[in-house]
Amino acid sequence: MEEICKHLEDIQEIKVASELVCEECKKVDGWWVHLRTCQTCGATLCCDSSPAKHMTKHFHHTGHPVASSAEPGEKWLWCYEDEAFVEYE
Ligand SMILES: [Zn+2]
Ligand SMILES: [Zn+2]
Ligand SMILES: [Zn+2]
């Protein structure tokens, strides 16, 4: 049984990455492993397997709780605040 948080339940339409690059890594010629898209502001940033962990930093700086995977073929959302995960169609 999945436990879904309020933040995930509130999402009506999922924001997708406009470009498959980490916006912050791109500025400093950094590299990343996987990309995530913030569901509050639409920023696409790198995951926790990446050296700079920009999406986690974004959550701590902005409080934007939910990120989706921006990887092609991956359809899931993650809430940092509640550590809740959900897959979608
Ligand atoms: Zn939540
Ligand atoms: Zn990054
Ligand atoms: Zn954001």
Side-chain angles (χ1 to χ4, degrees):
M1 183 81 182
E2 280 173 311
E3 301 240 340
I4 300 179
C5 73
K6 186 84 175 78
H7 308 104
L8 292 173
E9 283 175 357
D10 279 353
I11 289 175
Q12 304 286 324
E13 202 175 317
I14 293 163
K15 290 184 171 64
V16 294
S18 48
E19 257 193 300
L20 288 178
V21 293
C22 171
E23 295 173 11
E24 293 300 320
C25 286
K26 196 172 87 170
K27 291 179 192 165
V28 295
D29 264 337
W31 60 278
W32 57 85
V33 180
H34 297 297
L35 295 168
R36 308 289 178 244
T37 300
C38 176
Q39 292 301 302
T40 307
C41 68
T44 295
L45 297 164
C46 57
C47 72
D48 278 357
S49 304
S50 309
K53 300 180 169 62
H54 282 126
M55 188 53 84
T56 298
K57 285 181 186 161
H58 181 74
F59 163 64
H60 289 298
H61 289 153
T62 62
H64 295 167
V66 178
S68 67
S69 174
E71 297 299 314
E74 286 187 10
K75 293 192 169 182
W76 52 258
L77 300 166
W78 168 256
C79 177
Y80 284 96
E81 206 170 297
D82 299 300
E83 301 192 334
F85 174 85
V86 69
E87 288 180 285
Y88 63 90
E89 284 303 308

